[in-house]
Amino acid sequence: MTEDAPAVARLRESGAVILGKTTLPEFGWIGACHSPLTGITRNPWKLDRTTGGSSGGAAAAALLNLGHLHIGTDGAGSIRIPAAFTGVFGIKPTYGRVAAYPASPFSILAHLGPLTRTVTDAALMLSVIGAPDARDMTAWNTPAPDFRVGLDEGVRGLRIAWSPRLGYVKKLHPEVQAATAKAAQVFADLGAIVEEADPGFAEPYAMIMAIWGGVSATIVSAIPEANPAFCMPTSKEMVRQSFSSIPNNLADQYPSV
């Protein structure tokens, strides 16, 4: 590429000094951070653990204070997973809030957002990278607000819905249930009105894998057989498994996968 992506361009226009690119797994497909190209990105807290993925390099760099602002992308958790695994702050903004160019093959699944050490840094960053860009016809065409406004006002009086199961989770690990309940209680202790709610979501796995699998199959089918190292066996296996969620007539178009 000979030009900056919109998020990078907005940061550079605002005076940011670009340090470099961070690692991610092959094609951003998995919730860990290793690939044949860059090796293994390890969790700075404990080197035998993963940073999560796919934006694991960004989260590790944020945790180590290698720069203040880090761009992540999130389709099925690729900002939120590394943030949770490393203890930094990450947010998946509403689709289109941050313009993308070139467009991700994963379409509306792929959102861009910040990974930072603090909420304030993320709010500042999102206010900058959320500016419009004519290269993305799906992006918002209105300026981003200053997301720092109100950060110091606390949560007293705000209504917060907490859903431990989202309507479809049948088995919840006791430690996860206890930890999330404790986190929700923190907001209540700070004066927020916390209500347990069930939005009644359907199990999303088959739906997301139908999209993920179709796009992944397209990517894999474009990789020359002469370059097998650029497609790990686990990546191909994920594509095969995802075909169970795709109509047979579509799966038949990718016999080599």
Side-chain angles (χ1 to χ4, degrees):
M1 293 291 292
T2 57
E3 58 185 319
D4 288 333
V8 177
R10 302 295 86 78
L11 289 170
R12 197 188 299 275
E13 290 162 4
S14 295
V17 178
I18 309 300
L19 297 180
K21 297 179 180 179
T22 49
T23 57
L24 73 162
E26 189 174 62
F27 303 112
W29 279 348
I30 55 177
C33 194
H34 58 271
S35 78
L37 181 63
T38 60
I40 300 173
T41 300
R42 301 185 182 277
N43 195 313
W45 290 111
K46 196 169 184 180
L47 297 181
D48 63 346
R49 304 294 176 88
T50 181
T51 56
S54 62
S55 301
L63 174 58
L64 294 170
N65 211 22
L66 301 176
H68 292 286
L69 312 176
H70 306 270
I71 298 172
T73 56
D74 191 317
S78 289
I79 288 174
R80 294 160 291 163
I81 295 171
F85 282 21
T86 61
V88 301
F89 182 81
I91 184 172
K92 178 179 182 176
T94 302
Y95 181 77
R97 177 66 278 174
V98 181
Y101 178 82
S104 167
F106 291 99
S107 185
I108 59 173
L109 280 180
H111 303 210
L112 288 91
L115 279 157
T116 61
R117 288 174 66 93
T118 70
V119 173
T120 301
D121 283 347
L124 171 63
M125 182 179 178
L126 188 56
S127 299
V128 172
I129 65 177
D133 192 292
R135 293 173 292 179
D136 184 352
M137 59 183 254
T138 67
W140 294 17
N141 60 6
T142 55
D146 187 343
F147 291 106
R148 296 171 297 177
V149 174
L151 283 184
D152 296 326
E153 295 177 4
V155 297
R156 183 169 299 279
L158 295 180
R159 293 184 64 198
I160 297 176
W162 174 61
S163 180
R165 299 180 183 277
L166 297 176
Y168 68 88
V169 177
K170 294 181 174 60
K171 286 189 65 176
L172 195 61
H173 194 287
E175 290 184 14
V176 173
Q177 186 167 5
T180 53
K182 184 178 179 180
Q185 185 60 43
V186 170
F187 289 100
D189 294 342
L190 292 171
I193 304 166
V194 179
E195 301 174 358
E196 188 168 329
D198 181 359
F201 293 153
E203 163 62 63
Y205 184 79
M207 177 178 64
I208 194 171
M209 288 308 293
I211 300 173
W212 205 269
V215 173
S216 300
T218 302
I219 294 173
V220 169
S221 66
I223 299 174
E225 290 295 327
N227 292 325
F230 290 100
C231 189
M232 297 186 298
T234 51
S235 298
K236 288 192 173 184
E237 180 59 27
M238 186 208 68
V239 174
R240 290 191 188 97
Q241 292 179 3
S242 70
F243 279 161
S244 63
S245 303
I246 302 175
N248 290 334
N249 61 341
L250 176 59
D252 290 344
Q253 295 179 29
Y254 300 94
S256 64
V257 174

